[in-house]
Amino acid sequence: MLRIAILFFWVLSLTAWGQGVCRAETEHQNSRVRQVSSYQKMESAVQERDRLKSKGIEAYFKKVEIPGKGTWYRVFAEEKRPQNRMSPPAKEKKRPQKAVKPAHSASSATAGGTVVPITDQRAGESARVAKGAGSGMKQAIFSSRLLPSENGRKPETPAGSKGGDAPASIPAGQSPVCSEYEAAKTEFDAHRYQQAAGMLNALLSSQKSDAALYESSLRLLADCLYFLDEKESGKYGSQTIESYRNILRHYPDPRSGNDVANFRLADILERTGGYEEAYEAYSNVLSKYPDSPYGQEALFRMGKILYQTKRYAHAIDKLKKYLSLSPDGSYAFQASFLLGYCLRQTNQRPEGDAWYRNALNKWSSFDGLTTDILHDLGLYRLSQGDYTGSANLFLLCFNLQPDGDLRKNALYNLGRSHYFGGRFSTALKVFSLLLESYPNTLEANEGILFMANIGVMDPKAEFNACMAGRDYFKNPIETYDWMRTKYPGGYREEWLLYQKGYALCKSGRFKESLELYCRLLDAFPHGRLHQESRAYLVLNATHLIEEARAGGDFLAVADLYYRVRNKVPLSAESMAMFFRIGDSLWKTGLKADAVALLDRLKQKNNQAMETSVSDLIMLESDRSQEEMTDEKWKALLAELARNGGDAADAARRNLADYFYGKGRYDRVIPLYEELIKAKGRADFLPISRNYAHALRHQGLCSSAVSRYREILDACREDPQKCDQGFVADVCAGMGDCYYETGDYQNGLAMYSQAFPGIRHRESSMWALFRMGQSYHKLNDGAMAGKSFAQLKEQSGDAFWPKVADYWVADQEWSRSNRDYLEKN
C-alpha cells in the first residue's frame, strides 16, 4: 500500500508540475511569441528586429545551429494578448465540434492515400500521428483540408480560439502545442521534411492551436512540401502550388512571411512551366516587400522568365537592373551571359559582344548555362577568331542537347571551328558525322563544301576510308561542279563559285582563282557576294603581279591589267596594285596607258600628289642604268612627308618594293617602318615580312627575329591571312638569322618547318644547304651528309652539288689547319 501511495503522489506531482510549466509558458508577460523569419547573416536579423521595433512590436533574434545548414538567426516577435483569454480547464465549457471538410482541390490526395475528415472522436489521435511521422511512417500528411479552402474561407477554427486574426490561447491542462510546433521546426531544420509535415498535420488536426500558431503551422507545412518537391523532383509540385496559393488567398499581401510564400510559389511555378503566374509572384515580392532578402533574386528570375519566353527586350531591362544592383551577386554569372544573349538576339551585337567578353574574362566555367546560350557564345568566339574556344563550346552544346536543330547546328559549327582553326583532319571527322546524322540538310551540304575546300588546301589530311564523304574530299573540283548542278542559278551557285575561288586562293592557285572570280563577277554583276568576290580578285591579282614582277615578267602584269581593269574600281584596297601595274606598263613601253592610269590615280586621291613625286615613283624605276641620286632620294622623302592619303601610302609601298628589288635595304627600312605603323592595313603581313628580310640583310638579326615572331603569332591567330608559302618564307628568313648568330639548333627547327612549304626551287635548295651546314656545325656528320645528299639529288644541275662539296672541303681544311691559321 505504501508503494502504491508513493507512486500515486509522484504521478500527481508530475501532472501539477507539467500544468504549471505550460501555464507559465503561455502566460509569460501576457504575450504570445512567434517566429517571423530566419537569416544566415546576423546583420539581416538585426535589421529585421529593428524594423519590427520601429513599429512598436517587441522583437528579438536567437542564434541556432542547424545540422547540415550551419548557423542561422531566427527573429521572434512578441504580441500582447488579453488577460481574459485563458480560462481554467476545469471550467471550460464543452461544445460539440463540427467536422472539418477537406478543401476542393487536387492536393487533397496525399502521399499515404485519401484523408478522412477529422471529427471530435479523432481529435485524440493527433499525438499518435505525430509520433508515427517522427518514426518515418507513411501517413496522409499533406491534406489540403488543413489549408484555407478554394472558396477563400478558412477551415473551421479549432476549439478554444476565435476567428479572424485575433490570437487564441492554449487551453490549460492540454498538450503544449507550442512545443509540438518547435519539435516540427527542429525536424524541418534537420531536413526531415516528411516527419516535420506529419507533426504539423497532427498539430493542425488537433484543433488546439490559436490563430497565429495555426498560420505559422500552415506556412511551415507548405515549406515542407516545397522542399520535398525539390528533393523528389516534382512529386509534390501541384500540392505545393495549391498550398502557397491558399495561404496568399487567405492571408493577402502585405503580410509578414508573404514575401517567402510569393517567392517559393513563383519558384515552383517556374520549374513547372507556369511562367506567367511565376512572373506575377516574383513581381509581388519586389513591389510589396522592397526590403525582402529575396528581392534581388526575384528580379533576376523575372529577367530569366522573360528570356525563357523570348521577350528579350524586356529581359534586357530586368537583367541590367539586377546587375547594376548586384554586380557580384549570386546570379551575376548567369545574368551576364543571359544579358549578352538577349542583346545579340535583338540586333544589339556590339553591346552583347561586350557583355560576353567581360563575362568570359570574369568566369571560366559554363556550368548552369542553357544550350542555346552555349551555342550563341560559341558563335561569338568563332566570330572573334577564337576557334579553340568556340570548338569547346560547340562540343559541349552537342553533348548536352539530346536532339533537334540546335544539336545539328552545334555539330556543323564544331566542324567550322576546326576548319578555320586549321585542324583539318578533325574537321573532316566532324563533317563526316554531320553527313551521317543529318543527310540532305543545308548544313550537311555546306559540310560537303568544307570537305572539298580541305581537299584543295590540304590534300594530305588524314581521312579514314570508311568515313562518309571521302569522295568530296578527294575530288574537290568535281564536288564544286556537282553541287552547282544541284543548286543551279541564284545565290547558291554564286556562293559555290565564291567558295571554290576562295579554296583555290588559299591553296596558292592564284591564277585559277582569279579566272574563277572573273567569271563570277561577269555572271553575277549585282550578286550578294559581289564585294567579297572583287576583294579576292584583287588579292589574287596582287599575288600574281608580285610573282611576275619578281621574275621581271612585266608583260604578264600588263596582260593581267587589261583583264581586270573593268572589274576592279580604284579604291584604297586596290591603289597599291594599280601603282605596280602602272610601273609595269611603263617598263613594257606602254607609256600612254601608264600615264593614263597615273592620271586616274591622281584624280582619285583627295590630296593630289606633286608631279615630281609621281615621276620619281613611276618613272625612276625604268630600265635605265641611272641610279637614284641622294639628292633625288632626299627630295622624294620630303615630298612624301608633305603628302598624305592613300596615294602617298601606295607610293611609299611601290618605292619600297622598288628599292627592295634592287637590294638597297638601307633605303627600304625607313619606308617600311612608316608603312607598318598602320597595323589594320590589308597588306600589313607582307610588308612586315619584307621589313624583317631587310633588317636581316642589314645584319640586324635581333630586330629581324622579333619581327618574324610577331608575324608567325599573327598567322597562328588568323590562319586565313597566311598561306603555306608565306609562312615558309618567314620561317626560312628566321632560320637564316639563327644561323648567322650561331644558334644552329633553332635554325634547324625553322628550316625544317619552312622546307615543305617553299615554292621556289632555289629557295628550297638554299634551305637544304643551310640545314646541312647547321648539322655540320653541330658535329652531326650523319645528318649533315643526309641533307647534302638530298640537296644533290633534288638540285637537278651541277651548281648546288659543287657548292656543297666546296663548303665541306673548306670546313675540313680549316679544321685540320686550325693551329697553323691561329699562329699566323
Side-chain angles (χ1 to χ4, degrees), residues 85 95 156-163 166-169 171 207-211:
R85 292 297 302 276
R95 291 185 299 177
E156 296 184 23
T157 308
S161 65
K162 293 185 178 180
S169 63
Q207 304 187 22
K208 297 174 183 178
S209 57
D210 63 12

Side-chain angles (χ1 to χ4, degrees), residues 296 300 304 307 319-320 322-324 326-342 352 354-371 373-374 377 381 393 396 400:
Q296 288 188 359
F300 162 73
K304 185 179 178 183
Y307 146 76
L319 293 168
K320 281 186 174 180
Y322 170 79
L323 288 168
S324 66
S326 186
D328 298 311
S330 302
Y331 298 93
F333 162 72
Q334 289 188 53
S336 297
F337 285 106
L338 280 173
L339 180 55
Y341 177 85
C342 292
W355 278 101
Y356 272 164
R357 184 166 53 253
N358 294 336
L360 289 170
N361 290 334
K362 196 170 183 179
W363 296 285
S364 58
S365 173
F366 304 111
D367 294 342
L369 296 182
T370 58
T371 50
I373 293 179
L374 290 173
L377 193 58
R381 281 189 156 176
L393 283 165
L396 178 61
L400 291 175

Side-chain angles (χ1 to χ4, degrees), residues 435-469:
L435 292 180
E436 291 179 351
S437 304
Y438 305 98
N440 301 320
T441 61
L442 177 62
E443 290 76 13
N445 289 334
E446 291 187 358
I448 290 173
L449 293 175
F450 280 115
M451 296 170 83
N453 288 350
I454 295 172
V456 174
M457 292 185 285
D458 188 8
K460 295 182 180 180
E462 295 182 10
F463 196 175
N464 194 306
C466 300
M467 293 165 54

Side-chain angles (χ1 to χ4, degrees), residues 171-298:
Q174 296 189 19
S175 300
V177 293
C178 47
S179 299
E180 292 175 12
Y181 176 82
E182 284 299 320
K185 190 71 170 67
T186 300
E187 293 295 310
F188 177 87
D189 291 340
H191 301 176
R192 293 188 286 271
Y193 304 118
Q194 201 163 28
Q195 290 87 334
M199 292 180 175
L200 292 165
N201 184 74
L203 175 60
L204 292 165
S205 301
S206 68
Q207 304 187 22
K208 297 174 183 178
S209 57
D210 63 12
L213 187 58
Y214 188 83
E215 179 185 346
S216 297
S217 300
L218 287 177
R219 292 181 184 275
L220 190 58
L221 181 57
D223 291 343
C224 288
L225 288 168
Y226 172 82
F227 289 110
L228 276 170
D229 180 75
E230 190 177 65
K231 186 177 181 181
E232 301 192 25
S233 303
K235 184 176 179 181
Y236 302 97
S238 60
Q239 294 169 273
T240 308
I241 291 170
E242 197 58 39
S243 298
Y244 284 124
R245 279 175 178 166
N246 286 334
I247 288 172
L248 293 170
R249 186 182 298 122
H250 188 70
Y251 305 108
D253 297 317
R255 191 181 184 89
S256 177
N258 274 13
D259 59 333
V260 180
N262 272 294
F263 181 85
R264 289 180 176 167
L265 172 62
D267 179 46
I268 199 164
L269 283 167
E270 183 184 350
R271 278 188 267 151
T272 54
Y275 295 126
E276 298 297 333
E277 189 178 351
Y279 186 88
E280 183 180 357
Y282 284 134
S283 181
N284 286 339
V285 175
L286 278 179
S287 60
K288 298 176 182 178
Y289 306 95
D291 297 326
S292 172
Y294 294 92
Q296 288 188 359
E297 185 175 353

